[in-house]
Every structure is written in structure tokens, then in C-alpha cells.
Amino acid sequence: MLDRLREGLQSAVKKLVGSASLDEKEIKEFVRDIQRTLLYADVDPHIVLKFCQKVELRALEEKPPPGLPRKDHIIKILYDEFASVLGEGGRLDLPTNKTNVILMIGIQGSGKTTTIGKLARLLVKRNYRVGVVAADTFRPGAIRQLETICETINVPVYSQPEENNSINVAREGLAKLKEQNFNVVIVDTAGRHKEEQGLLQEMKEISNAVHPDITFLVIDGTIGRSAFKQAEAFHRNVPVGGIIVTKMDGAAKGGGALAAVAATGARIYFVGTGERIDDLEQFVPTRFVGRLLGMGDLQALLERARDLEIAADEKQVKRMMAGKLTMNDFLAQIESLKKMGSLRKIVESLPGFSQMNLPEKNIEEIEGKMKYWRAMIQAMTKDEREDPDLLNSQRIRRIARGSGVTERDVKDLIMRYKQAKSVMKASKGRQFRTLMRQMSRQQ
Ligand SMILES: Nc1nc2c(ncn2[C@@H]2O[C@H](COP(=O)(O)OP(=O)(O)O)[C@@H](O)[C@H]2O)c(=O)[nH]1
Ligand SMILES: [Mg+2]
């Protein structure tokens, strides 16, 4: 599935790995290759632009942990950013002590009925008793289609061939199957066209009638980035619990559909990868990205990168515990905080960190200042970074001029550094160790 996308990404990675040197030019070319591949897969240009800028910035500016080749580090960055674009996948965990109701909605032809068969099969394999309600009263042959699929997997289908009120069928079907203690009841619906308000109204009414535990919106992966609008239109009318993207086999635009759906904030639970009953996969973004980039090598690379990062952090922490905190350590720590997400969240999660004199209102300000801090630290000589006590007023003036800030800014940085150092000494690095442990758990 997604062959073109995979080939494009893997060939960009291969080119990067094979290049003799690795400077700005190669990195930019690598990012451009990725960009082209994503646009071809119909990923929304805004998403592509943001994604590529982020990858490029990180690739150019981030220092790999000692021991990790720069190329590997860049591939890891690519992996991280892909996983973050795709968001979290959804996991379907249904309790066995009740009748779980799953409502399937989506426009006609998106693959609802086919997917119901696949999902029923998957749940039967997990030992659930599954029944299906045929509440698509609009499409001729809809009942027969569902019955044909479900016969092959021994799943009963409730239908009322003479009834054309889908809400009644749904309600009565559910009641009947509930009586028979089914663990899961999946309700199939019609899906004429998304523009038809009537359809959305009907979905709303069915939803109110059956009170689904989860509503799956089924989206055709071949529509690419238009999936965004479609997902939003449905969601405005019916609370969508999760999304299933179908026809990922052969869909040149499947990547665009996935990115678009993830951009709505909805979780993708499954992807359909063919017409057969077993062609349904649970969607696990990290695994998915791994496959796109060529998992075999990547898994080893990611593990190595993590080990090296932890080792580097530990070395740093040991030094800091001995009360030795250089400006470089300071910067690295601040940046690793940033990498973990919002500084505020982290500071709040660490009791005792308030000793660093970071009153709440200052946190945002600090986040904003971080890029200047980097410039200032870069303007220092190696000796100054190792031993900031050397920083007299003359040197401060030079650094301020060299990094385009005021002398007061430099003094402010030094003050914060000293505060951090004294906290570090007092707590023997305990707080940072807690932090490191959290970091390694997050990876
Ligand atoms: N290649 C491929 N075809 C699919 C997939 N899912 C559904 N289809 C096909 O899409 C068409 C419409 O599917 P159907 O389940 O009837 O859609 P519905 O109108 O939403 O119920 C059928 O021909 C299916 O075989 C998939 O994952 N891959
Ligand atoms: Mg159907």
C-alpha cells in the first residue's frame, strides 16, 4: 500500500545516506525530495510546508547525541515528525459484559458495508459475539450485500426488507440483538451524499436512536486531502468517535487522506487495504511510519539513537551532580526541556523547581528568550562556556554585540545560569534526574 509514497520517501532517505558530505545543501535537497513526494501523495500543501520547515530546521540545528551519525539523526527527526503529523491511532477496546454498539457512517461508496464485514471478522477473532443491523434502507441491494459478506463469517444480519424508515430498523434491530446478548452490534447506514442535509439529519437521528458506544466515520482514501472537509462536515452533525480510511491499497492519495484526517484531530482506528475480508489493519502511526521509511533498518536505528541520547544525558547529569554545570550543559538542558513540549507543563510537574525562580508568568517569556540565549552562548568562547565566572563586563559587552542583544540580556542569562547551578548543587541533580527518567520514558 502507498507504494509511490513509500518509494519516494525511501529513495530520498537512500540519497541522503549515500551522499558523501552532509551540509546545508544536502539537507535542503533531502527536504525538497520529501516535500515533492508528500505533495504528490496529495498531502495538504500547508501541512507539507509546516512539516518540511520543521524537519529542515531540526536537521540543520539539532546536534545529534554523541555517537549517533548525523544522517541517522536526521532520519530519526523525519520519523518523529511523521509520527507527530499522524497523531495517535485509536484502539478499539470493548468490554465483554455489555452490548457494545458501533455505528458506521460515511458517504455512499466509501466502504462502510465492506468494512463492517472486516471489522466483524476481526472482532469475532477476538472472541466477541457480533451481530449486524442493516439500516441502509436507501440503496437497493444493500441488505443482500451485507448478508453475503456476513454469511462467510457466520455473523447474523438483522434486516426489515419492507421497511424504509432506517431509524426504526436501527432501533428495532438493536433491541432484538441486545435481547440475544450479543457483545457487539454494528449498524450499517446509507450514505447518499455529504452535501445532502437529509443524510446528516438521518445520521443524527439514528445516532440518537441507538446511542452508539462508538461511531466510525468511513472515508475513502482515494479522495486525498478532501478528507479534511468531509470529516469535518460529518463531525459537525454527529459526534464521530473514530475514523476508518479505506482503499489505502493503490490509493496514490492515501497519504494525503491520512494527514488530512489527523489534522481534524480525529483518531484513525483502522485502514482498509483491499477488498477482501481480511484487508483491515489497525492503524498504529509509529508502526505505519516505520514501514513507510523501511522498518528493518529503522527500528535498530531508533533504538540506538535512544540509547545514545540516554547515555549522553546521564553523562551530563553526573557532571551536574558534581556541581559542574557549564553554559553548554545549561543550554542543552533548556533545549531538551523544550523538545519535550511546553516548558510550563514540565516545570509544573517538578516539585521544587520553583526554587529556580521561574514564576508562572515568566515561563512564556523564557520560552521566547531561548533563541536569544542560544545566540549568546554561541557568541561565547569555549573557555567562557566552560567557566562562566570569566564573564566580566568587557566580555559581556563583546557577547552582547556579537549576538545582537543588550548587555542586560547577557547578564540576565548569566543570572539564570547561576540560579540553575545553585539549585543543581543543592539538590545534587535530583530534579534533573527525575526529568531525565521522564524523558527516557517518553521516547
Ligand atoms: N480496493 C479496495 N476497495 C475497497 C476497500 N473498501 C471498500 N472497497 C470497495 O469499495 C466499494 C464500495 O464499498 P461499500 O462497502 O459498498 O461502500 P458503502 O457504500 O460505504 O457501503 C466496493 O466495491 C468495495 O469492494 C478497500 O479497502 N480497498
Ligand atoms: Mg453500504
Side-chain angles (χ1 to χ4, degrees):
M1 97 174 125
L2 298 178
D3 291 343
R4 277 295 287 264
L5 182 59
R6 197 172 58 225
E7 277 161 28
L9 294 175
Q10 290 189 9
S11 98
V13 167
K14 220 156 135 192
K15 195 160 120 194
L16 178 85
V17 171
S19 65
S21 66
L22 187 59
D23 46 35
E24 195 171 327
K25 182 171 153 283
E26 278 78 21
I27 290 176
K28 287 197 161 158
E29 198 174 310
F30 170 67
V31 174
R32 257 200 313 276
D33 287 343
I34 302 283
Q35 183 169 351
R36 212 174 303 125
T37 305
L38 293 179
L39 288 173
Y40 185 84
D42 203 36
V43 181
D44 184 294
H46 289 107
I47 298 180
V48 175
L49 189 70
K50 244 173 79 188
F51 175 86
C52 288
Q53 278 172 344
K54 188 103 184 273
V55 171
E56 185 171 305
L57 189 78
R58 287 188 59 191
L60 287 173
E61 298 206 341
E62 261 177 38
K63 237 172 62 191
L68 188 72
R70 184 120 184 263
K71 287 172 182 175
D72 288 356
H73 185 59
I74 293 175
I75 294 164
K76 182 174 180 294
I77 290 173
L78 185 67
Y79 169 88
D80 287 347
E81 294 302 328
F82 267 130
S84 123
V85 161
L86 289 175
E88 276 179 62
R91 263 189 67 90
L92 188 61
D93 266 326
L94 303 170
T96 47
N97 58 357
K98 62 176 271 199
T99 303
N100 301 278
V101 181
I102 301 178
L103 178 63
M104 290 292 219
I105 61 174
I107 66 170
Q108 180 154 317
S110 58
K112 291 179 298 300
T113 307
T114 315
T115 304
I116 286 176
K118 296 174 179 179
L119 189 58
R121 155 88 153 183
L122 188 134
L123 291 171
V124 165
K125 272 202 219 153
R126 292 187 190 166
N127 293 323
Y128 290 96
R129 277 190 72 216
V130 184
V132 171
V133 178
D136 176 356
T137 52
F138 183 79
R139 183 178 182 172
I143 297 176
R144 191 69 217 122
Q145 184 197 4
L146 193 58
E147 282 172 348
T148 310
I149 293 172
C150 289
E151 258 162 32
T152 64
I153 51 172
N154 279 327
V155 164
V157 176
Y158 175 92
S159 70
Q160 292 182 22
E162 303 306 322
E163 173 65 89
N164 52 24
N165 182 329
S166 58
I167 292 128
N168 289 344
V169 180
R171 189 186 295 112
E172 286 159 28
L174 174 61
K176 192 79 179 275
L177 294 173
K178 237 181 192 166
E179 264 170 35
Q180 298 171 35
N181 291 322
F182 279 89
N183 299 128
V184 181
V185 173
I186 311 178
V187 182
D188 192 14
T189 63
R192 280 155 295 186
H193 197 276
K194 75 175 190 319
E195 256 89 54
E196 284 185 27
Q197 272 310 309
L199 170 67
L200 293 169
Q201 183 59 32
E202 183 179 321
M203 294 303 109
K204 215 190 272 183
E205 285 173 29
I206 293 189
S207 176
N208 289 338
V210 301
H211 297 294
D213 293 281
I214 184 159
T215 299
F216 280 127
L217 172 62
V218 178
I219 290 188
D220 181 336
T222 61
I223 68 171
R225 68 183 141 113
S226 344
F228 185 87
K229 271 204 218 112
Q230 201 176 99
E232 286 221 314
F234 271 95
H235 196 82
R236 264 199 303 276
N237 289 276
V238 187
V240 173
I243 300 213
I244 300 179
V245 181
T246 60
K247 310 186 195 178
M248 292 296 286
D249 50 313
K253 296 179 170 184
L258 290 179
V261 166
T264 66
R267 288 191 180 196
I268 302 167
Y269 277 66
F270 298 97
V271 292
T273 56
E275 296 191 63
R276 287 165 313 147
I277 194 115
D278 282 317
D279 295 334
L280 186 73
E281 271 182 33
Q282 196 189 325
F283 183 67
V284 183
T286 47
R287 206 195 297 157
F288 182 80
V289 175
R291 259 167 40 200
L292 278 181
L293 296 180
M295 192 63 191
D297 301 347
L298 190 70
Q299 192 56 41
L301 187 158
L302 294 175
E303 274 162 23
R304 207 163 106 76
R306 196 187 48 210
D307 289 349
L308 287 169
E309 266 168 27
I310 292 174
D313 287 337
E314 272 170 3
K315 224 165 91 192
Q316 214 169 35
V317 170
K318 268 202 200 107
R319 241 199 351 256
M320 291 190 300
M321 279 169 65
K324 287 185 195 125
L325 178 79
T326 69
M327 273 287 179
N328 282 333
D329 296 332
F330 181 58
L331 184 65
Q333 288 307 331
I334 297 287
E335 290 195 335
S336 62
L337 290 179
K338 195 175 175 195
K339 216 164 55 187
M340 286 176 63
S342 140
L343 195 54
R344 172 188 298 284
K345 235 172 37 208
I346 292 151
V347 171
E348 278 170 354
S349 73
L350 290 175
F353 229 68
S354 54
Q355 298 165 41
M356 251 177 107
N357 286 335
L358 299 178
E360 274 209 7
K361 63 176 172 16
N362 276 348
I363 293 175
E364 262 112 41
E365 186 194 332
I366 289 171
E367 280 182 324
K369 277 184 178 170
M370 272 166 42
K371 62 173 190 278
Y372 298 107
W373 289 359
R374 181 210 293 257
M376 287 184 249
I377 293 174
Q378 278 168 349
M380 292 176 192
T381 64
K382 192 162 168 292
D383 289 347
E384 288 164 351
R385 284 187 225 177
E386 296 291 328
D387 181 10
D389 285 339
L390 291 173
L391 295 168
N392 57 22
S393 56
Q394 202 183 345
R395 289 176 188 247
I396 288 174
R397 201 174 315 134
R398 192 204 76 238
I399 291 164
R401 233 180 278 133
S403 52
V405 300
T406 65
E407 286 169 44
R408 239 174 99 184
D409 291 329
V410 182
K411 284 183 192 151
D412 179 58
L413 167 72
I414 296 170
M415 186 190 74
R416 297 207 186 265
Y417 157 80
K418 284 189 175 152
Q419 284 172 347
K421 188 168 170 172
S422 74
V423 172
M424 207 69 59
K425 223 172 181 167
S427 77
K428 295 208 164 39
R430 226 181 315 114
Q431 284 150 352
F432 268 115
R433 261 200 302 182
T434 313
L435 189 66
M436 288 306 139
R437 244 178 275 128
Q438 284 187 345
M439 280 180 74
S440 52
R441 231 180 285 134
Q442 285 211 349
Q443 278 164 358

